[in-house]
Amino acid sequence: MSRLIIVSNRVAPISEGGPAAGGLAVGVYDALKETGGMWFGWSGDVLPSGQPRISVEERGPVTFATIGLVRRDYDQYYRGFSNATLWPAFHYRADLVQYDRHDFEGYCRVNTWLAQQLVPLLRPDDVIWVHDYHLIPFAKALRAAGVKNRIGFFLHIPFPASQVLLAVPPHRELVESLCSFDLLGFQTEPDLRSFCDYIVHEANGTADAPANGRPTTVQAFGRTLHAAAYPIGVYPDEIAELARAGESGKPVRTMRATLHARKLIMSVDRLDYSKGLVERFRAFERLLEQSPAQRNKVSFVQIAPPTRADMHAYQDIRVQLEGESGRINGRFAELDWTPIRYIHRQYERQVLAALFRASHVGYVTPLRDGMNLVAKEYVSAQDPDDPGVLVLSRFAGAAQELNGALIVNPVDIDGMAEALATALAMPLAERQSRYREMMAQLRENNVSVWRDNFMRDLQAAGSVEPVRKHAGVSLAD
Ligand code: ADQ
């Protein structure tokens, strides 16, 4: 059997069961620990200068191959083009896009350099699976270094509509680079459609209509490749077991004791402007405003560890949220009740799962999200005899699958407040039937199914053949 090589920007310092605030790390590690293989990428270290060296460590079936970045590369590739240009654009925040062509050059340079570091570690029959927006030019760089292996790419975040992608000045180079992969995976059908729309209308290429669950064949920039939607999943029964086991632990006991039988609304996110936290706080405020009976009867816990804290947009959202939670608590708190508990730390997976199980509402309302694993983890963690209700944004990829959730538009503050009220009052029989429907879906499309479907299609993807030149399109490898 071929060896699986996973390449991602960050190789998480994952220990079994430990905290891992980041969906890619959680999903990839769950996928890799069963099959074994190698995980290659940035160690998270930033060195002032010098020539970083690869460190290789075996942990069980997984080999971790990691390397540091020098400060300039970190600034241009990671903080700059990846997170100040691509992340906001791909989350439909064209207003936050910052672009500096030197950062784009740094982004391409680091991709080439990382690819060159990987080449000596590769065997001829390895299958290479590259993850996420930091590494769009990676296959092109590997091909330039002579690598002939199959190379697939999975985008964890949304693929934006063409008109939004055009806000990124080198959009054409990016899509051309994507076409160097043999297989492209997106979270949802709408993401795949956006990509195909760009191919047809901006790149003068072709994309056939998907049929019988087979990947779409794309022809553009002189290449033929395949593309499909592979919604990432979780292991629902493993999470359910973690939640059950964690129920008697100290964090949950403390939480219950301080709630004094009040109902609990629970949210967990990385602190990011794409997650819709400000709107979410305001909708909770609207609930308290419009339903005085809910005051002192419900608490909202928001766990949001800061990420990318050295970037302005992230400092701004943090300040804004601290202001909002202080304002709302000041407005409604009583001597024995704080409406919003806003917590910045990371927790172990078991503690999070147990807190999900102890809560009445999972409140997951991103403005845009590729998938959102928290929504899937929340449902998985519920007690089948007394499940909580998921309130979910229509703009999370998970909303394409989780039909049993109360689906909301995160900018509709009144609509979200109503959904919270509906969730808090929902009868047991309805909660159970919604839970059963979602749990069946999560079991059917768990994280192994995600990995196996992608790997099956990547193995089947033929070698990349040149296609006839389309008028007006430059052919490039
Ligand atoms: P993220 O944007 O990181 O992931 P998400 O899918 O919700 O978003 O994953 C977050 C993960 O981190 C979850 O597993 C969650 O339990 C964990 N986590 C969050 N806060 C935590 C905390 N305080 N302590 C411990 N763990 C915490 C990206 C995309 C998503 C996509 C995933 C996977 O943005 O859209 O679903 O990748 O593809």
Side-chain angles (χ1 to χ4, degrees):
M1 209 178 109
S2 310
R3 186 174 62 149
L4 174 58
I5 309 290
I6 298 265
V7 184
S8 65
N9 165 64
R10 184 81 161 87
V11 174
I14 289 204
S15 57
E16 195 70 53
L24 184 150
V26 171
V28 165
Y29 183 67
D30 278 349
L32 195 57
K33 71 184 181 191
E34 273 183 3
T35 54
M38 183 192 286
W39 191 354
F40 172 84
W42 177 35
S43 61
D45 296 329
V46 181
L47 317 171
S49 60
Q51 188 57 259
R53 302 187 78 80
I54 291 195
S55 128
V56 178
E57 195 191 330
E58 311 267 341
R59 264 189 267 161
V62 182
T63 303
F64 293 82
T66 56
I67 190 157
L69 288 177
V70 293
R71 165 65 54 186
R72 174 165 166 261
D73 289 349
Y74 169 80
D75 284 341
Q76 294 186 329
Y77 148 83
Y78 181 74
R79 285 180 72 218
F81 192 72
S82 294
N83 284 320
T85 308
L86 291 181
W87 178 272
F90 280 41
H91 287 86
Y92 289 75
R93 291 297 302 269
D95 59 317
L96 294 179
V97 170
Q98 292 173 12
Y99 178 68
D100 179 332
R101 65 172 57 170
H102 302 295
D103 286 353
F104 181 57
E105 284 161 19
Y107 174 82
C108 295
R109 182 183 67 244
V110 171
N111 267 270
T112 300
W113 175 73
L114 284 172
Q116 287 163 352
Q117 303 306 306
L118 178 63
V119 169
L121 306 177
L122 291 175
R123 300 175 194 154
D125 64 342
D126 285 343
V127 174
I128 304 165
W129 189 5
V130 179
H131 290 259
D132 231 2
Y133 60 102
H134 317 83
L135 298 171
I136 288 172
F138 202 80
K140 193 170 181 177
L142 282 178
R143 299 277 180 233
V147 171
K148 300 267 188 296
N149 304 47
R150 297 231 155 85
I151 314 176
F153 178 82
F154 184 77
L155 184 67
H156 288 255
I157 64 176
F159 191 90
S162 292
Q163 288 303 310
V164 178
L165 184 57
L166 295 179
V168 178
H171 54 87
R172 191 176 175 83
E173 288 94 320
L174 289 170
V175 177
E176 183 179 345
S177 294
L178 280 174
C179 291
S180 291
F181 288 93
D182 298 319
L183 176 67
L184 300 177
F186 299 95
Q187 294 275 25
T188 66
E189 293 292 335
D191 298 312
L192 174 64
R193 281 202 296 273
S194 297
F195 174 73
C196 292
D197 182 63
Y198 184 101
I199 289 293
V200 172
H201 294 108
E202 302 292 336
N204 204 15
T206 61
D208 68 13
N212 306 328
R214 309 241 338 126
T216 296
T217 301
V218 172
Q219 297 196 324
F221 301 105
R223 302 188 70 92
T224 301
L225 62 148
H226 295 93
Y230 303 90
I232 192 169
V234 295
Y235 285 123
D237 293 303
E238 214 173 82
I239 294 171
E241 187 47 47
L242 269 182
R244 253 194 311 274
E247 230 174 354
S248 51
K250 187 153 178 259
V252 174
R253 280 190 283 122
T254 311
M255 171 70 85
R256 282 195 203 280
T258 59
L259 278 175
H260 297 294
R262 291 186 192 95
K263 289 198 167 172
L264 174 60
I265 298 172
M266 187 81 208
S267 295
V268 174
D269 308 80
R270 287 182 307 98
L271 180 49
D272 193 294
Y273 50 78
S274 65
K275 301 291 183 184
L277 296 163
V278 173
E279 292 77 4
R280 187 183 302 168
F281 280 24
R282 290 188 182 150
F284 179 66
E285 176 185 28
R286 189 67 52 87
L287 172 78
L288 299 180
E289 209 172 75
Q290 294 185 338
S291 312
Q294 298 285 6
R295 297 181 198 162
N296 211 336
K297 295 284 184 294
V298 56
S299 286
F300 168 29
V301 171
Q302 170 72 62
I303 297 177
T307 48
R308 306 172 197 164
D310 56 354
M311 298 181 65
H312 286 306
Y314 288 80
Q315 291 155 5
D316 291 348
I317 184 75
R318 183 172 178 165
V319 169
Q320 201 183 358
L321 274 171
E322 280 167 2
E324 283 298 285
S325 59
R327 184 181 64 72
I328 298 166
N329 279 339
R331 183 172 172 200
F332 290 104
E334 294 173 22
L335 286 176
D336 63 342
W337 174 58
T338 306
I340 301 180
R341 299 186 201 177
Y342 175 37
I343 301 166
H344 274 165
R345 52 169 289 197
Q346 293 197 13
Y347 286 91
E348 290 178 353
R349 292 178 90 179
Q350 184 179 56
V351 174
L352 283 186
L355 289 172
F356 289 153
R357 191 177 174 97
S359 68
H360 301 83
V361 180
Y363 190 21
V364 185
T365 57
L367 298 171
R368 286 282 160 184
D369 219 329
M371 179 52 61
N372 195 297
L373 292 181
V374 170
K376 294 188 167 183
E377 291 163 0
Y378 180 81
V379 173
S380 306
Q382 295 311 300
D383 175 355
D385 294 331
D386 186 17
V389 180
L390 178 64
V391 173
L392 178 62
S393 163
R394 60 173 300 159
F395 300 118
Q400 303 282 321
E401 292 171 87
L402 297 178
N403 296 326
L406 294 179
I407 301 294
V408 295
N409 180 332
V411 300
D412 177 4
I413 304 297
D414 287 313
M416 284 208 289
E418 276 165 24
L420 286 177
T422 305
L424 288 164
M426 191 178 284
L428 177 63
E430 184 177 349
R431 285 189 277 128
Q432 285 177 326
S433 89
R434 286 172 180 268
Y435 162 79
R436 277 196 296 269
E437 183 184 346
M438 292 192 280
M439 209 48 187
Q441 170 64 27
L442 292 175
R443 287 192 175 112
E444 195 179 308
N445 185 41
N446 70 18
V447 76
S448 330
V449 173
W450 168 71
R451 177 199 58 214
D452 294 345
N453 286 347
F454 187 92
M455 293 312 291
R456 178 201 61 214
D457 291 347
L458 181 55
Q459 298 278 6
S463 58
V464 182
E465 294 157 13
V467 292
R468 265 189 307 133
K469 183 171 177 172
H470 296 282
V473 178
S474 66
L475 283 180
D477 183 45

